[in-house]
Amino acid sequence: ASSVGGALSEGELQNLVAFGEVLVEGRTLSAVERGHLIEHLDDRTRGTPGFLSLYRMTASLLDRLAGAPFAGLDVRARADAMARHRLTSHDVRTREFLWPFRRAELAVRVLAVPDIIQGYYRSAAGWAVVGYRTFPGRPSDLIRYTLPEA
């Protein structure tokens, strides 16, 4: 069942976007930035086996750990919940893979967090963070693009 692709529910998607906002920028994203993150999540869940299950489990875990709908929390409360449960800790000890408990948190840390961060920073929104006004590979000005440099 984990290899079946499909779409996330609206609530699951909102939780993951709220999670991603804290991961990638630490603030509420603009509509365009959110669009890039949503596009990545949708591509992953529809096209890559296992990601629909991973992201559904992540969205459910976020609600459970927050004790409320995760997407409804403000940025600070989301960041606090994520830090309290070590969801942003990339330092995974070998023994953690052997423990029979906290498997969901481990899967989020090892699989979901890096994928969300990579997906965002590979988009035009992520490239803008490092100063590119135009996504690499796309001409910013067709006239300038076709003329030799002065």
Side-chain angles (χ1 to χ4, degrees):
S2 67
S3 64
V4 176
L8 295 163
S9 72
E10 186 62 29
E12 291 167 336
L13 189 58
Q14 292 308 314
N15 270 2
L16 292 168
V17 169
F19 184 54
E21 287 178 331
V22 176
L23 285 174
V24 300
E25 293 282 343
R27 63 172 172 79
T28 302
L29 299 176
S30 71
V32 172
E33 293 166 327
R34 288 174 65 92
H36 291 295
L37 190 53
I38 290 168
E39 182 180 339
H40 170 73
L41 294 167
D42 192 52
D43 287 346
R44 280 298 209 206
T45 58
R46 290 179 189 273
T48 307
F51 275 92
L52 180 61
S53 293
L54 172 67
Y55 282 136
R56 281 191 168 150
M57 185 260 318
T58 301
S60 174
L61 175 71
L62 292 169
D63 281 345
R64 185 170 55 81
L65 295 178
F70 187 79
L73 302 175
D74 66 19
V75 174
R76 180 175 292 242
R78 285 185 259 153
D80 289 345
M82 290 163 59
R84 186 172 49 255
H85 296 285
R86 297 186 62 232
L87 295 181
T88 58
S89 174
H90 67 279
D91 183 28
V92 178
R93 306 292 177 163
T94 304
R95 67 179 177 261
E96 291 182 76
F97 290 104
L98 303 174
W99 291 342
F101 44 88
R102 297 183 57 136
R103 294 281 183 173
E105 290 93 332
L106 184 61
V108 169
R109 288 171 52 203
V110 172
L111 301 171
V113 167
D115 185 66
I116 290 170
I117 293 171
Q118 289 173 6
Y120 180 78
Y121 283 103
R122 287 181 179 161
S123 74
W127 281 91
V129 171
V130 294
Y132 285 93
R133 290 187 320 227
T134 306
F135 189 69
R138 294 191 183 131
S140 60
D141 178 5
L142 288 177
I143 293 173
R144 189 181 137 257
Y145 180 72
T146 58
L147 298 175
E149 292 290 326

